[in-house]
């Protein structure tokens, strides 16, 4: 008798609770927990190239020397790199775009991504904006974007007129793993670790459930700037939306096939610029030298008072180094 | 690069997963007079996790335990993340030393970081089949943990980036995981020491965790006449 009463009580309580909940929002609907992408929101600036739609903006005179900013990730966006638009005032045509499946660009299924496709997108973006064959093109890559820049000039050593590498973190899968090991000092007892792991028990998505998977990466971003982080990240920097599927896809490709973007870098004889943050203890001059070794003509510069997110937090220290470099090649 | 770090951590999360599944019980050793059972457990559950619980044994035809439990991960904000469960376990069949039991729980769990506070109500169903002796037992278990309805409330920091984010209740489900594994234990008159280990699968059966295992070490103290 008592058992029946208890069961009835539990059922009644549960029913009352769920009856009181509104069933009006779905986590898989864009615009609820993540921003809509360019194919879902026509008010966003975009370009259609290479079979996709990319979130993109430009600043400056379209006929000026082009600087293409390549954001980090994979899967990040260019929002925290927008300080670089200041270069437009110095006579550059600055192009920002969210890479395929990243930021506010259109999403695609996991099995559609490849490194070559990312190169092809970059070629298409340059082609889309270039107004003459003589217009010079510079790449400004941050983090993963700098790795992508290295891969691009390794593949096409004559297409680009100069490159800025802001803490790439590995031109080969071996170096990428090494950098990952330097930043992966996981403390199981820390709040920061809980913050990025604990929700996985009740937020799960299928392989191509972009909204929920992107959202999980979005809220995990707090881990990167947790107190004592080895990359010297001061705090949150703005972002629109992360692309989890492209991150997973390119991560799987790296793990499965590896990559080596250094095989032809010796053919790129133009001076390149490496930037590293003073407070990023995982990178530093040692790792910058390790990556710069592939280039005959290079400049390595320390950005004081900041870490991996130097472009957002200490643009005033980045700008005086980047501008003379670009001007020297203009 | 920060995304790469998050990816690595997401993979690692499955290495250290220990779901706070139903407390392991040696049914053979449990006397009907032992009305109260206290549970303690620890393990790895998206970090190091500690749990405690209480069971009350009903006076019923089928051996039945009503349970309530609370677990939390380590960290410097103890009330930021936790999980509570309420439900029961029933021993349904016995054939010689082989026994089959089932459990059902309602779950309330909370998660908070600098960007969001999430509350989730879910349910968990588990079946256990095993060989039980008075001093020891070994059993296989399989279960499903479903996140039924979830509430999101984002911080001002999150809304700086996405002011139009929609706070509130989300349904249908925001996730679910299957689990299967083994449990074993050694029993004394008033106590059990238990160990369970197993594997996880997400509900689509396609998403393969990097290292989908869970682990839990538990202790039961049975109170009542032996």
């Amino acid at each position: 008798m008592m058992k029946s009463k208890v069961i009835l009580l539990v059922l009644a309580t549960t029913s009352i609770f769920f009856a009181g909940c509104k069933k009006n929002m779905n986590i898989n609907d864009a615009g609820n927990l993540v921003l809509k992408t360019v194919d879902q929101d026509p008010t966003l600036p975009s370009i259609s190239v290479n079979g996709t739609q990319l979130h993109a903006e430009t600043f400056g005179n379209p006929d000026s020397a082009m600087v293409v900013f390549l954001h980090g990730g994979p899967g990040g966006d260019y929002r925290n790199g927008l300080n670089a638009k200041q270069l437009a005032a110095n006579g550059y045509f600055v192009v920002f775009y969210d890479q395929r499946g990243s930021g506010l660009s259109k999403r695609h299924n996991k099995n559609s991504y490849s490194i070559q496709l990312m190169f092809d997108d970059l070629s298409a973006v340059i082609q889309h904006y270039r107004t003459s064959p003589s217009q010079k093109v510079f790449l400004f890559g941050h983090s993963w974007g700098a790795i992508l820049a290295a891969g691009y000039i390794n593949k096409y050593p004559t297409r680009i007129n100069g490159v800025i590498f802001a803490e790439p973190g590995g031109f080969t899968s071996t170096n990428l793993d090494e950098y990952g090991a330097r930043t992966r000092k996981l403390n199981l007892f820390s709040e920061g670790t809980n913050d990025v792991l604990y929700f996985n028990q009740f937020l799960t998505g299928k392989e191509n459930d972009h909204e929920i998977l992107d959202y999980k990466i979005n809220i995990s971003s707090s881990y990167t700037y947790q107190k004592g982080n080895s990359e010297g990240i001061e705090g949150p920097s703005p972002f629109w939306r992360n692309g989890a599927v492209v991150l997973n896809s390119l991560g799987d490709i790296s793990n499965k096939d590896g990559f080596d973007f250094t095989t032809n870098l010796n053919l790129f004889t133009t001076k390149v610029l490496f930037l590293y943050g003073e407070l990023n203890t995982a990178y530093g001059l040692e790792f910058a030298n390790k990556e710069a070794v592939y280039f005959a003509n290079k400049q390595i510069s320390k950005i004081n008072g900041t870490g991996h997110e130097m472009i957002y937090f200490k643009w005033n220290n980045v700008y005086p180094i980047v501008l003379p470099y670009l001007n020297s090649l203009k | 690069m920060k995304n790469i770090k998050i990816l690595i951590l997401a993979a690692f999360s499955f290495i250290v997963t220990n779901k706070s599944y139903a407390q392991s019980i040696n049914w053979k050793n449990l006397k009907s007079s032992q009305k109260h059972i206290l549970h303690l457990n620890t393990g790895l559950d998206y970090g190091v996790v500690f749990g405690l619980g209480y069971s009350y044994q009903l006076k019923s035809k089928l051996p039945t335990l009503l349970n309530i439990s609370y677990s939390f991960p380590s960290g410097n904000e103890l009330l930021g993340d936790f999980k509570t469960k309420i439900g029961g376990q029933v021993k349904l069949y016995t054939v010689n030393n082989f026994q089959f039991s089932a459990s059902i729980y309602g779950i309330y769990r909370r998660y908070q970081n600098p960007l969001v506070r999430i509350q989730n109500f879910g349910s968990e169903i588990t079946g256990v089949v095993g060989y039980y002796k008075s001093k020891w037992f070994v059993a296989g278990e399989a279960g499903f943990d479903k996140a039924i309805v979830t509430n999101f409330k984002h911080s001002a920091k999150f809304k700086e980036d996405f002011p139009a984010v929609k706070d509130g209740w989300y349904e249908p489900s925001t996730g679910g995981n299957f689990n299967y594994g083994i449990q074993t234990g050694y029993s004394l008159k008033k106590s059990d020491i238990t160990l369970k280990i197993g594997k996880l699968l997400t509900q689509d059966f396609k998403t393969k965790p990097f290292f989908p295992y869970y682990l839990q070490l538990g202790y039961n103290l049975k109170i009542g006449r032996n």
Side-chain angles (χ1 to χ4, degrees), chain A residues 45-59:
Chain A
S46 71
I47 58 174
S48 293
V49 293
N50 199 33
T52 191
Q53 190 177 355
L54 303 176
H55 178 225
E57 286 178 89
T58 62
F59 299 88

Side-chain angles (χ1 to χ4, degrees), chain B residues 9 73 91 95 104 193:
Chain B
L9 278 165
K91 187 176 76 173
V95 180
I104 182 167
I193 297 170

Side-chain angles (χ1 to χ4, degrees), chain A residues 72-105:
Chain A
D77 60 48
Y78 65 77
R79 193 174 184 180
N80 69 356
L82 279 168
N83 282 331
K85 71 183 179 185
Q86 186 180 357
L87 295 168
N90 301 109
Y92 291 92
F93 179 52
V94 187
V95 175
F96 294 93
Y97 77 99
D98 288 342
Q99 295 154 27
R100 177 181 291 253
S102 308
L104 300 182
S105 290

Side-chain angles (χ1 to χ4, degrees), chain A residues 23 143 194-195 197 215 219, chain B residues 1 46 74 111 113 154 171:
Chain A
K23 301 175 183 178
S143 194
N194 291 335
D195 285 349
L197 300 181
Y215 178 73
I219 62 172
Chain B
M1 200 58 55
Y46 308 97
S74 63
Y111 164 85
N113 78 2
H154 294 86
E171 201 186 8

Side-chain angles (χ1 to χ4, degrees), chain A residues 8 38 55 92 98 105-106 124 147 184-185 188 196 206 215 223 244 260 265 268 310 312:
Chain A
L8 278 174
V38 286
H55 178 225
Y92 291 92
D98 288 342
S105 290
K106 186 178 179 181
I147 298 174
R184 197 194 318 157
K185 291 170 182 170
L188 278 178
V196 77
K206 297 176 186 173
Y215 178 73
Y223 174 81
D260 185 349
L265 291 181
F268 191 80
M310 63 186 79
Y312 178 74

Side-chain angles (χ1 to χ4, degrees), chain A residues 21-278:
Chain A
C21 294
K22 291 181 181 177
K23 301 175 183 178
N24 58 352
M25 287 190 283
N26 187 329
I27 196 168
N28 289 314
D29 289 345
N32 283 346
L33 294 181
V34 291
L35 285 163
K36 291 180 178 177
T37 50
V38 286
D39 52 312
Q40 298 163 331
D41 181 355
T43 66
L44 294 168
S46 71
I47 58 174
S48 293
V49 293
N50 199 33
T52 191
Q53 190 177 355
L54 303 176
H55 178 225
E57 286 178 89
T58 62
F59 299 88
N61 183 344
D63 296 327
S64 299
M66 185 189 300
V67 176
V68 181
F69 184 83
L70 298 171
H71 64 72
D77 60 48
Y78 65 77
R79 193 174 184 180
N80 69 356
L82 279 168
N83 282 331
K85 71 183 179 185
Q86 186 180 357
L87 295 168
N90 301 109
Y92 291 92
F93 179 52
V94 187
V95 175
F96 294 93
Y97 77 99
D98 288 342
Q99 295 154 27
R100 177 181 291 253
S102 308
L104 300 182
S105 290
K106 186 178 179 181
R107 297 297 188 264
H108 298 273
N109 285 346
K110 187 182 175 189
N111 61 9
S112 69
Y113 293 97
S114 69
I115 295 291
Q116 184 58 48
L117 195 58
M118 308 305 278
F119 294 160
D120 292 343
D121 285 349
L122 177 52
S123 295
V125 169
I126 293 169
Q127 186 180 5
H128 179 86
Y129 287 114
R130 204 170 198 180
T131 56
S132 74
S134 61
Q135 185 178 21
K136 289 191 172 180
V137 178
F138 302 102
L139 301 182
F140 186 168
H142 173 236
S143 194
W144 150 253
I147 298 174
L148 181 61
Y152 191 80
I153 60 173
N154 190 61
K155 182 87 177 183
Y156 310 110
T158 61
R159 291 189 183 179
I160 300 300
N161 301 98
V163 187
I164 300 158
F165 298 109
E167 292 195 345
F171 292 159
T172 67
S173 43
T174 303
N175 281 359
L176 180 65
D177 290 345
E178 182 184 334
Y179 185 70
R182 291 175 180 220
T183 58
R184 197 194 318 157
K185 291 170 182 170
L186 195 65
N187 178 1
L188 278 178
F189 293 88
S190 76
E191 187 65 28
T193 302
N194 291 335
D195 285 349
V196 77
L197 300 181
Y198 200 69
F199 59 73
N200 287 292
Q201 60 189 296
F202 54 86
L203 289 179
T204 64
K206 297 176 186 173
E207 185 176 87
N208 293 308
D209 284 347
H210 298 285
E211 278 71 23
I212 191 169
L213 296 178
D214 291 357
Y215 178 73
K216 288 174 69 172
I217 300 287
N218 286 353
I219 62 172
S220 297
S221 63
S222 64
Y223 174 81
T224 62
Y225 53 84
Q226 68 170 316
K227 191 177 179 183
N229 72 83
S230 59
E231 291 185 296
I233 298 174
E234 296 90 329
S237 56
F239 64 92
W240 285 298
R241 173 173 169 175
N242 286 277
V245 174
V246 66
L247 170 65
N248 292 335
S249 179
L250 296 181
D252 286 353
I253 290 169
S254 174
N255 290 331
K256 184 181 173 190
D257 304 329
F259 66 89
D260 185 349
F261 293 159
T262 67
T263 52
N264 294 318
L265 291 181
N266 62 317
L267 301 178
F268 191 80
T269 54
T270 306
K271 184 171 140 181
V272 299
L273 172 62
F274 279 85
L275 305 176
Y276 70 95
E278 177 190 28

Side-chain angles (χ1 to χ4, degrees), chain B residues 12-219:
Chain B
F12 185 83
S13 71
F14 292 102
I15 298 176
V16 300
T17 295
N18 164 22
K19 311 289 276 185
S20 297
Y21 299 113
Q23 190 70 37
S24 303
I25 293 290
N26 185 347
W27 293 101
K28 190 82 173 183
N29 186 272
L30 182 64
K31 308 290 188 298
S32 59
S33 59
Q34 293 174 321
K35 294 291 183 189
H36 310 280
I37 307 173
L38 297 176
H39 310 284
L40 294 173
N41 62 65
T42 186
L44 298 169
D45 183 5
Y46 308 97
V48 177
V49 169
F50 306 97
L52 55 90
Y54 166 77
S55 293
Y56 177 78
Q57 185 174 192
L58 292 179
K59 191 175 183 180
S60 56
K61 187 176 178 182
L62 293 174
T64 303
L65 296 175
L66 297 180
N67 307 124
I68 186 167
S69 67
Y70 172 83
S71 65
F72 60 95
S74 63
N76 53 15
E77 294 176 20
L78 287 180
L79 295 178
D81 308 329
F82 63 82
K83 174 157 62 177
T84 60
K85 300 199 307 182
I86 184 166
Q89 293 174 258
V90 185
K91 187 176 76 173
L92 294 170
Y93 299 108
T94 300
V95 180
N96 299 322
N97 289 318
F98 288 95
Q99 301 185 0
F100 171 65
S101 64
S103 63
I104 182 167
Y105 290 91
I107 303 174
Y108 168 69
R109 42 199 158 194
R110 187 182 190 276
Y111 164 85
Q112 186 165 15
N113 78 2
L115 300 176
V116 64
R117 184 204 69 198
I118 306 175
Q119 300 176 85
N120 169 261
F121 287 90
S123 64
E124 176 192 303
I125 300 171
T126 302
V128 180
V129 178
Y131 185 83
Y132 291 80
K133 300 283 282 184
S134 60
K135 285 286 188 185
W136 60 274
F137 69 94
V138 60
E141 65 176 6
F144 181 52
D145 175 351
K146 184 77 172 176
I148 296 172
V149 60
T150 307
N151 180 271
F152 296 81
K153 183 174 176 57
H154 294 86
S155 67
K157 189 177 290 182
F158 187 93
K159 289 178 178 175
E160 286 175 11
D161 289 330
F162 185 11
V165 64
K166 293 176 184 169
D167 286 345
W169 290 97
Y170 280 72
E171 201 186 8
S173 169
T174 56
N177 292 299
F178 289 98
N179 72 285
Y180 60 93
I182 59 170
Q183 54 177 254
T184 185
Y186 180 77
S187 301
L188 300 170
K189 280 185 178 178
K190 289 188 172 182
S191 59
D192 304 322
I193 297 170
T194 64
L195 176 69
K196 60 170 68 178
I197 187 168
K199 198 169 184 180
L200 287 172
L201 281 173
T202 50
Q203 60 185 354
D204 66 345
F205 291 110
K206 288 183 180 176
T207 313
K208 292 183 178 178
F210 179 70
F211 198 81
Y213 298 110
Y214 62 90
L215 175 72
Q216 183 189 69
L217 180 64
Y219 174 77

